[in-house]
Amino acid sequence: MVQASEHEDKALDRDCTTLSRHVLQQFQGFSAQAQDLSALMNRVALAGKLVARHLSRAGLMEGVLGFTGEVNVQGESVKKMDVYANDVFISVFKQSGLVCRLASEEMDEPYYIPENCPIGRYTLLYDPIDGSSNTDTNLSLGSIFAIRQQEGDDIDGKAKDLLSTGDKQIGAGYILYGPSTMLVYTMGKGVHSFTLDPSLGEFILTEENIKIPDSGSVYSVNEGNFWQWEESVREYVRYVHRTEGYSARYSGAMVSDIHRILVQGGVFLYPGTVQKPEGKLRLLYESAPLAYVIEQAGGRATTGRMNILDVVPQKLHQRTPLIIGSKENVAKVESFIQNGH
Ligand code: AHG
Ligand code: MN
Ligand code: MN
């Protein structure tokens, strides 16, 4: 029999490292939890594929782009794409036996899938489309997700157990809809990225155990808010302006900005303003999942005063300031916020 070379073997093995297989490998065995999480991630991946397909044809179909005319619980105008992606995540978990509740940035209250609830102890929290303002101009977008285990019986149907710290996340990640579609996840055992191979319809392993550089030259912030910030944040940005070597990068979708920072280093900031000290980003659907990913990669995420993963939300749609990225860059911002220099 003709033997494949070691090189061919490796290439084939890599091509076969799909997302669901990778999750199983993470748990080194075929325990019930490993099977559940692998199946759950497979459904998240399906949601990502459906959204990516929709986005890739958006300019060719009627009724896909633009606003719905509604305003969501966040007080923001809803895009048709937000609604589509929100529904996709619900749909993929129907008849899954995995996820009883879904909580999304776009829904006032958590959504229950009653047929899953007797056995489905997982809750999915998600931002269906991150960077909605990029939708109509064919620019990068993302989806963000976190997985939590349901605690208690949730008898009143208010999902109060979700009002707990980010340390309760058992998995988190994002899907980046860029020139290719990528999925990045952590389950507390490092950060791993996958690229969608459209010819296979599978997410295939791109990089395992990604480590964020300890420092980087990118700072990513909406400087249009300069005069709304606290003086300490303005002082930090002035420091960046007079220090050689920094580059500004801000796309309007934090998933793509933070992905760049994960790979190349730097810092992303969405500080509070004097009028809105909590800022814009949502703790449970945006800040906490991304904080989990970045911490697992060796970086940091803070409000400026405490670690994001230690913040206890008072309500489901709570907002939080966010400073996230390379350790040294985050420490510098913190030092301006806490010590003024
Ligand atoms: P979303 O589209 O889910 O509302 O999130 C957008 C977020 C984030 O992705 C982005 O960095 C930021 O809001 C952009 O906001 P500004 O336009 O205020 O900079
Ligand atoms: Mn978002
Ligand atoms: Mn969104």
Side-chain angles (χ1 to χ4, degrees):
M1 196 178 96
V2 182
Q3 291 282 315
S5 72
E6 201 183 326
H7 176 73
E8 282 167 339
D9 263 355
K10 267 197 179 145
L12 198 53
D13 200 43
R14 186 191 165 97
D15 279 351
C16 291
T17 307
T18 58
L19 179 64
S20 43
R21 173 167 138 182
H22 194 265
V23 177
L24 282 176
Q25 279 172 0
Q26 290 273 291
F27 291 91
Q28 289 169 350
F30 299 97
S31 65
Q33 197 199 25
Q35 301 278 358
D36 277 357
L37 292 173
S38 168
L40 204 155
M41 283 304 297
N42 212 22
R43 304 263 177 152
V44 170
L46 175 59
K49 289 182 245 182
L50 286 162
V51 172
R53 185 181 68 175
H54 204 64
L55 288 171
S56 71
R57 297 176 182 166
L60 303 171
M61 298 187 293
E62 292 299 318
V64 172
L65 297 175
F67 292 96
T68 62
E70 309 281 303
V71 171
N72 69 10
V73 62
Q74 322 284 339
E76 296 164 348
S77 300
V78 178
K79 294 223 154 158
K80 290 175 188 159
M81 200 62 77
D82 293 318
V83 175
Y84 174 79
N86 192 65
D87 292 350
V88 161
F89 276 88
I90 293 172
S91 242
V92 298
F93 282 106
K94 285 188 180 155
Q95 300 295 334
S96 66
L98 292 164
V99 166
C100 162
R101 308 175 303 189
L102 296 104
S104 148
E105 185 185 287
E106 297 296 338
M107 300 188 288
D108 301 11
E109 306 285 342
Y111 185 100
Y112 288 75
I113 306 180
E115 76 257 20
N116 292 339
C117 292
I119 45 168
R121 299 296 296 174
Y122 299 98
T123 301
L124 190 88
L125 298 103
Y126 65 112
D127 175 1
I129 294 285
D130 174 66
S132 295
S133 74
N134 287 1
T135 317
D136 299 335
T137 49
N138 191 31
L139 292 168
S140 286
L141 296 164
S143 300
I144 306 172
F145 61 90
I147 303 159
R148 292 183 183 229
Q149 192 115 36
Q150 184 174 324
E151 288 184 359
D153 290 332
D154 189 10
I155 293 166
D156 59 2
K158 294 210 180 308
K160 290 217 183 79
D161 57 297
L162 295 178
L163 303 182
S164 53
T165 63
D167 292 327
K168 298 276 181 177
Q169 297 171 117
I170 42 182
Y174 57 81
I175 301 157
L176 169 59
Y177 311 102
S180 60
T181 300
M182 292 192 82
L183 188 150
V184 175
Y185 87 99
T186 185
M187 292 213 173
K189 297 169 193 289
V191 177
H192 319 288
S193 67
F194 293 75
T195 304
L196 178 62
D197 181 335
S199 65
L200 292 172
E202 288 276 8
F203 282 99
I204 303 294
L205 180 66
T206 304
E207 194 180 342
E208 252 181 333
N209 294 315
I210 302 173
K211 290 290 167 216
I212 181 171
D214 285 342
S215 76
S217 60
V218 163
Y219 77 106
S220 187
V221 65
N222 184 345
E223 287 195 50
N225 295 331
F226 192 85
W227 290 106
Q228 273 76 59
W229 295 329
E230 296 279 352
E231 181 59 17
S232 58
V233 179
R234 284 203 287 271
E235 272 303 305
Y236 169 73
V237 170
R238 288 189 188 108
Y239 155 82
V240 166
H241 288 174
R242 63 175 184 266
T243 309
E244 213 176 310
Y246 279 99
S247 281
R249 294 285 184 273
Y250 191 77
S251 71
M254 67 189 299
V255 165
S256 51
D257 292 328
I258 291 176
H259 185 69
R260 180 205 298 275
I261 288 166
L262 171 67
V263 176
Q264 298 178 343
V267 62
F268 174 95
L269 303 87
Y270 208 109
T273 60
V274 175
Q275 299 275 330
K276 292 185 180 163
E278 304 286 85
K280 173 179 185 187
L281 302 174
R282 279 83 12 165
L283 178 61
L284 287 168
Y285 317 115
E286 295 173 314
S287 304
L290 294 170
Y292 191 24
V293 170
I294 293 296
E295 281 203 4
Q296 277 289 314
R300 288 202 46 222
T302 169
T303 63
R305 307 217 168 261
M306 67 189 290
N307 284 338
I308 290 287
L309 293 181
D310 293 334
V311 180
V312 182
Q314 304 298 307
K315 52 180 188 188
L316 221 46
H317 295 285
Q318 180 159 323
R319 297 174 192 261
T320 174
L322 177 66
I323 296 137
I324 186 169
S326 296
K327 269 199 261 196
E328 292 173 17
N329 300 62
V330 171
K332 192 77 191 168
V333 183
E334 252 175 351
S335 144
F336 272 90
I337 292 177
Q338 292 174 15
N339 315 318
H341 54 84

